[in-house]
Amino acid sequence: MQRLALIVASTSLGLSAHADARTFSSDDFADLSFRQPVEPTEPAPALREEEARLPFANVRDAAEGPGRGVSVTVRGFGRYTFDADLDDAQGSVSIARTRAGVTIAAPIGEKFRLVTDFSGEASFWDFDGATGILPGTDDPWDDLYNLDLRVTGIYQFDDNWSLIGGGFVGLGWEPGADLGEAVTGGGFGSVGYRFSDNLTLSFGVAASSRLEDDARVIPIVGVRWQVNDQVLVESRGPGLRVRVDPNDDWAFFFQGGAEFRNYRLDEDGPLPDGVVDDVRIPIEAGVIWSPAGGLELELSGGAIVYQEFDIKTGSGRDFSEPETDPAGFISLALRWTF
């Protein structure tokens, strides 16, 4: 529970600190599908999922901010995943994560919009008797960190066709790791077509390098379907969200998808210069409260139905691929767009 308290406090502090200083430090990723340009009268966008870690940025919050001028989105996020038993191995693990950051979007001409996002995340791992992951220790790693910088361009050809593309560089590491060996990068692109005011489809691909492994390439088929005034169905990378807005102040959602994280381990740790590729699939439901224009708070809960750690040595040799049993989690997110 101390980890849980830390996540809530870090989320709130991260949001207020970055809002005041106008500095960059966040993490917020979603799919490559996107909408038509927002009219100046359209309200601020709804809060979107903060947890999905994919090799491309969620640019819609800033790109669809109030009006088509310069917009800024400040984010804070925290999640606590309860103990998950290791599958076919002894021990368990719980994970506390906190994240904060800023996305800035600005128009360049009438049809092009440039979005810059800088994000950071801290993950606190708590292993209990996990002797089967790395020989000689029941605590394979402790705190892991991520930083990501993304630049995205959005071009509107006409009322129907649009194009989004860009690149990113990321850093994932355990304290004591060689930071020069903890860098990844990649790019993404997608073409979107608006069939009507209520339906937009997009098709694209995202590619990201991985530490000591082949690049990860993800084909993307995006959809944004406004079923009616209250129900929205939209893809979120390799996942889907259904959102219901009964009124202007409250909304409810259900979603599922995949997350990816890549870390370089301590060069003096149990597996010197090793690599952890963390893949997980969360399913969750939650509620969103909008107390004021541009400000939203989200509370959700669910389960990690699949999680695997692909562990490699510093030379790229496969070491082990432990999995965990399903585990529950709770999340808290804040977002302010202005």
Side-chain angles (χ1 to χ4, degrees), residues 63 223 334:
V223 59
L334 302 90

Side-chain angles (χ1 to χ4, degrees), residues 44-49 61 224-234 236 240-255 286-290 295-298 335:
L47 178 65
R48 307 190 189 276
E49 163 65 3
D61 292 302
R224 188 181 191 280
W225 178 28
Q226 189 74 54
V227 181
N228 54 44
D229 291 341
Q230 296 182 334
V231 180
L232 172 66
V233 178
E234 63 177 346
R236 304 189 58 77
L240 194 71
R241 165 180 277 206
V242 178
R243 171 175 169 140
V244 180
D245 291 72
N247 55 55
D248 293 338
D249 297 327
W250 295 94
F252 306 91
F253 68 89
F254 176 82
Q255 67 186 23
V287 59
I288 301 168
W289 178 42
S290 304
L295 176 64
E296 297 185 333
L297 296 90
E298 179 179 299
R335 186 182 307 248

Side-chain angles (χ1 to χ4, degrees), residues 97-130:
R97 286 193 164 112
T98 184
R99 190 159 61 242
V102 169
T103 301
I104 299 177
I108 300 178
E110 295 182 356
K111 295 186 176 182
F112 186 76
R113 195 160 177 83
L114 185 67
V115 183
T116 303
D117 179 276
F118 188 83
S119 63
E121 179 184 79
S123 300
F124 308 100
W125 299 66
D126 187 5
F127 289 96
D128 184 11

